[in-house]
Amino acid sequence: MKYDKSPELKEKISILPDTPGVYMYFDAAGTVIYVGKAKNLKRRVSSYFNRTHDNIRTALLVRNIADMKYIVVPTEQDALNLENSMIKEYQPRYNVLLKDDKSYPWIAVTNEMYPRVFMTRHHIKDGTRYYGPYTNTAVARTVLELIGQLYPIRTCRLPITPDYIAREKGRLCLQYHLHKCRGCSTGDIDASP
């Protein structure tokens, strides 16, 4: 089935760049009906219009596309993040995934005297560094396990500061006895620079 689209839409599709980005499809009323990401915008968007779709949902989507916009981003990771946030914002009818409050997991390294390393789905602007996102939670967990095998990392949430250590409030935890932590809560090791 060939999809007849307006000359304006055909023109937009013909000048799409071969770069990563996010695209949005609009219906005739101007409502966002789909948000997608692409490693190559031109190839991905063109694929919707250059072939017949066996999936009824996709065929209905393509039939209802009246306009499109796109945003170029530097990397595929940026496209992934932008797509995620735009789906949550617009709640497009034809997007099935990522509409809930969940987002992709990240590995966080806190900006503390003794940094913690853990998986999270939320960003806090407190100097914590985030690595990811990971589209597969199992992969993120595997990375954390590998880090934990190579480096004993702190997992407790104690607010370890020089004052905390000076007051001698910390105790050696189970993780220390399992050789998974070096005794941060008692100040037994030097803090990282």
Side-chain angles (χ1 to χ4, degrees):
M1 172 180 188
K2 188 168 171 13
Y3 298 98
D4 276 338
K5 295 298 170 189
S6 70
E8 295 84 13
L9 183 57
K10 288 179 183 175
E11 175 67 21
K12 284 182 182 181
I13 294 167
S14 71
I15 62 169
L16 282 167
D18 295 322
T19 59
V22 173
Y23 55 94
M24 298 187 316
Y25 292 143
F26 298 85
D27 63 12
T31 304
V32 177
I33 58 173
Y34 188 79
V35 175
K37 68 180 178 323
K39 181 166 134 179
N40 181 316
L41 279 167
K42 185 179 212 67
R43 193 173 333 148
R44 180 68 182 125
V45 172
S46 296
S47 74
Y48 281 94
F49 304 100
N50 294 338
R51 59 189 169 113
T52 302
H53 299 282
D54 295 331
N55 182 310
I56 294 171
R57 187 175 185 86
T58 306
L60 284 172
L61 164 66
V62 175
R63 197 174 306 150
N64 286 307
I65 297 170
D67 196 8
M68 61 108 22
K69 289 184 182 175
Y70 65 93
I71 299 170
V72 173
V73 294
T75 67
E76 287 181 74
Q77 289 297 119
D78 293 325
L80 186 73
N81 294 334
L82 183 58
E83 177 200 35
N84 182 18
S85 63
M86 290 176 77
I87 289 172
K88 284 176 179 33
E89 179 181 348
Y90 294 107
Q91 296 287 307
R93 176 180 178 185
Y94 290 96
N95 283 95
V96 177
L97 301 175
L98 302 176
K99 280 188 173 182
D100 57 13
D101 62 348
K102 290 185 178 176
S103 62
Y104 292 112
W106 294 74
I107 292 180
V109 180
T110 62
N111 184 24
E112 299 174 88
M113 184 174 165
Y114 296 105
R116 291 180 296 127
V117 181
F118 58 93
M119 187 172 64
T120 184
R121 293 181 186 270
H122 305 285
H123 282 222
I124 300 170
K125 295 186 179 188
D126 62 354
T128 297
R129 291 184 182 181
Y130 296 92
Y131 300 91
Y134 291 85
T135 54
N136 186 322
T137 305
V139 171
R141 285 194 182 108
T142 301
V143 170
L144 278 177
E145 286 175 19
L146 288 171
I147 293 170
Q149 289 172 8
L150 295 172
Y151 308 100
I153 54 175
R154 176 169 91 92
T155 57
C156 66
R157 294 184 180 197
L158 294 171
I160 302 173
T161 62
D163 183 50
Y164 179 88
I165 293 169
R167 289 185 286 139
E168 298 180 2
K169 293 285 188 183
R171 292 186 201 161
L172 295 174
C173 64
L174 177 61
Q175 296 297 321
Y176 173 81
H177 294 292
L178 293 173
H179 307 290
K180 293 185 174 184
C181 178
R182 293 192 172 164
C184 304
S185 60
T186 59
D188 286 355
I189 62 168
D190 290 333
S192 62

